[in-house]
Amino acid sequence: MMQALPIDSLLPEIVEQLRRSPNLIIEAAPGAGKTTRVPAALLDAEIARGEVWVLEPRRLAARMAARRVAEERGERLGETVGYQVRFEEVSSARTRLRFLTEGVLTRRLLSDPKLKNVGVVVLDEFHERHLQADLALALLRRLQHSGQTGATRPDLKLVVMSATLDAAPIANYLANNNEAAPRLSSEGRRFDVAIEHLPRDDNRPLADQIASAIKRLLTENLDGDVLVFLPGAAEIRRAQAACSEFASKHDLLILPLHGDLPANEQDRAVRPADKRKIILSTNVAESSVTIDGVVAVIDSGLARIAGHSAWSGLTTLNVQRISKASATQRAGRAGRTRPGRCLRLYTAQDFNARPDHEAAEIHRLDLAEPALELHAANITDLNTFGWFEAPPASAIEAADTLLRKLTAIDAQGRVTKTGEQMLRFPLHPRQSRLLIEAQSRGVFDEACT
């Protein structure tokens, strides 16, 4: 028997609203169960002909959500429920509910502009405002309404789910017949989380701060697992080394969790174990994922956040302080199954000075890669494209100028044969252009290196 979740009581109304309207906004706090229960309910209710697709912000979230839904249905993963992320797909001819990362959808739209076998698309955790999520929402909205392209899908249903974002602008953007899309709300499954801040700044290396916080929790007779948020894999390795002796002495498992780990190692971190676990994670565990057994969180207050390097022209990941919304999400990981604790390795004054949310990626990242994808979808003028939030005009001009220099598009914004070759690679256009040139010169392997 499945465990009851707060979203369950709202499922009949979700189904009924989506029968009456093409679009729906669901606001649900962390722990409500929206990621797993809503897509399965839409599938079972046969809301629309075709598959139900769910867009997740991270590969780990897509895999874990698909597995959880398959388990709740008593099936093997890859039967009715599957997933697809970059370089990996688990599905079959029977698959009707598919979890994907956001970038996979935009690529699928290039090869299948009508999404002819898809009936419902759910955009999960939209509050994270990834660039590919914004792009997917705009392309799907265009698909519903764009009669002049011959790709009209008025029957396509869209569901946007968010935990912390103001839903009114999305509801207005997805209006039907000048009426805002309906909105439904659900409370999350939250237990009290006692939050502690540092009384003053700690200037020790981060790994030493983590080790001290773990020792403190365990000497206070903590009886569950600890989830530690760190900015990246390098910091995880240093913290693992700093904690190894203490963990061995107390028979604890120290397990890393980040996006570059093999799937089996990620599974080891999130699956139940016969020992207490210290999970050292990046922000992949910040949303969409419930790790059973976690009763305490240690939050470094840092993350590697995508930015743009003017020197290389490529996307960079820089260590920055997280927003209040991210800090709240992290603390909530300790209160999913019972009351918990959160130790923040920064002061309350530091927390209060942080922005409420991170800026949406569309306002701070290079647009060359999504611009090439949009041009491939026969959108020649990106300034008049129906963005949810339009990027700066200067960013669009910079992207188009670069694509013309790379001979990926012509003066009218049409994709060239070179641009079509570049689209085969899930890379920034600077990198894909280098590979195309290298291939023509017989040095492809060297260029890949």
Side-chain angles (χ1 to χ4, degrees), residues 197 321 323-325 327-328 344 346-355:
H197 296 88
R321 298 189 309 166
S323 67
K324 291 176 182 174
T328 300
R344 289 177 174 161
Y346 45 98
T347 65
Q349 292 87 345
D350 183 342
F351 174 80
N352 291 328
R354 296 180 181 222

Coordinates of all heavy atoms in Angstrom, one line a residue, residues 197 321 323-325 327-328 344 346-355:
H197 N 22.2 28.9 13.2 CA 23.2 29.6 12.5 C 24.5 29.7 13.3 O 24.4 29.6 14.6 CB 22.7 31.0 12.1 CG 21.6 31.0 11.1 ND1 20.3 31.0 11.6 CD2 21.5 31.1 9.8 CE1 19.4 31.0 10.5 NE2 20.2 31.1 9.4
R321 N 27.3 32.2 -2.9 CA 26.3 32.0 -1.9 C 24.9 31.8 -2.4 O 24.6 32.4 -3.4 CB 26.3 33.3 -1.0 CG 27.6 33.6 -0.3 CD 27.5 34.7 0.8 NE 26.8 35.9 0.2 CZ 26.3 36.9 0.9 NH1 26.3 36.8 2.3 NH2 25.7 37.9 0.4
S323 N 20.7 31.5 -2.4 CA 19.6 32.4 -2.0 C 18.9 31.9 -0.8 O 19.1 30.8 -0.3 CB 18.6 32.6 -3.2 OG 18.0 31.4 -3.4
K324 N 18.0 32.8 -0.2 CA 17.2 32.3 0.9 C 16.3 31.2 0.5 O 16.1 30.2 1.3 CB 16.3 33.5 1.4 CG 17.1 34.6 2.0 CD 16.1 35.8 2.4 CE 16.9 36.9 3.0 NZ 16.0 38.1 3.2
A325 N 15.8 31.2 -0.7 CA 14.9 30.1 -1.2 C 15.6 28.8 -1.2 O 15.1 27.8 -0.8 CB 14.3 30.5 -2.6
A327 N 18.3 28.0 0.5 CA 18.6 27.6 1.9 C 17.4 27.0 2.6 O 17.5 26.0 3.3 CB 19.1 28.9 2.7
T328 N 16.2 27.5 2.3 CA 15.0 27.0 2.9 C 14.7 25.6 2.3 O 14.3 24.7 3.0 CB 13.8 27.9 2.5 OG1 14.0 29.2 3.1 CG2 12.5 27.4 3.1
R344 N 23.4 25.6 9.8 CA 23.9 26.5 8.7 C 25.3 27.0 9.1 O 25.4 27.6 10.2 CB 22.9 27.6 8.4 CG 21.6 27.1 7.8 CD 20.7 28.3 7.6 NE 19.5 27.8 6.8 CZ 18.3 28.5 6.8 NH1 18.2 29.6 7.5 NH2 17.3 28.0 6.1
Y346 N 26.9 29.5 8.5 CA 26.9 30.9 8.2 C 26.0 31.6 9.2 O 25.2 31.0 9.8 CB 26.6 31.3 6.8 CG 25.4 30.7 6.2 CD1 24.1 31.3 6.2 CD2 25.4 29.4 5.7 CE1 23.0 30.7 5.7 CE2 24.3 28.8 5.2 CZ 23.1 29.4 5.2 OH 22.0 28.8 4.7
T347 N 26.2 32.9 9.4 CA 25.4 33.6 10.5 C 24.0 34.0 10.0 O 23.7 34.0 8.8 CB 26.2 34.9 10.9 OG1 26.2 35.8 9.7 CG2 27.6 34.6 11.3
A348 N 23.2 34.3 11.0 CA 21.8 34.8 10.6 C 21.9 36.1 9.9 O 21.1 36.3 9.0 CB 21.0 34.9 11.9
Q349 N 22.9 36.9 10.2 CA 23.0 38.2 9.4 C 23.3 37.9 8.0 O 22.8 38.6 7.1 CB 24.1 39.1 10.1 CG 23.7 39.6 11.5 CD 24.1 38.7 12.6 OE1 24.3 37.5 12.3 NE2 24.1 39.2 13.8
D350 N 24.2 36.9 7.8 CA 24.5 36.5 6.4 C 23.3 36.1 5.7 O 23.0 36.5 4.5 CB 25.6 35.4 6.4 CG 26.1 35.0 5.1 OD1 25.4 35.2 4.1 OD2 27.1 34.4 5.0
F351 N 22.5 35.2 6.3 CA 21.3 34.7 5.7 C 20.3 35.8 5.3 O 19.8 35.9 4.2 CB 20.5 33.7 6.6 CG 19.2 33.3 6.1 CD1 19.1 32.3 5.2 CD2 18.0 33.9 6.6 CE1 17.9 31.9 4.7 CE2 16.8 33.5 6.1 CZ 16.7 32.4 5.2
N352 N 20.1 36.8 6.2 CA 19.2 37.9 6.0 C 19.6 38.8 4.9 O 18.8 39.5 4.2 CB 19.0 38.7 7.3 CG 18.2 37.9 8.3 OD1 17.4 37.1 8.0 ND2 18.5 38.1 9.6
A353 N 20.9 38.8 4.6 CA 21.5 39.7 3.5 C 21.4 39.1 2.1 O 21.7 39.7 1.1 CB 22.9 40.1 3.9
R354 N 21.0 37.8 2.1 CA 21.0 37.1 0.8 C 19.8 37.4 0.0 O 18.7 37.8 0.6 CB 21.1 35.6 1.0 CG 22.4 35.2 1.7 CD 22.5 33.7 1.9 NE 23.8 33.4 2.6 CZ 24.6 32.3 2.3 NH1 24.2 31.5 1.3 NH2 25.7 32.1 2.9
P355 N 19.8 37.3 -1.4 CA 18.6 37.6 -2.2 C 17.6 36.5 -1.9 O 17.9 35.4 -1.5 CB 19.2 37.5 -3.6 CG 20.4 36.6 -3.5 CD 21.0 36.9 -2.2

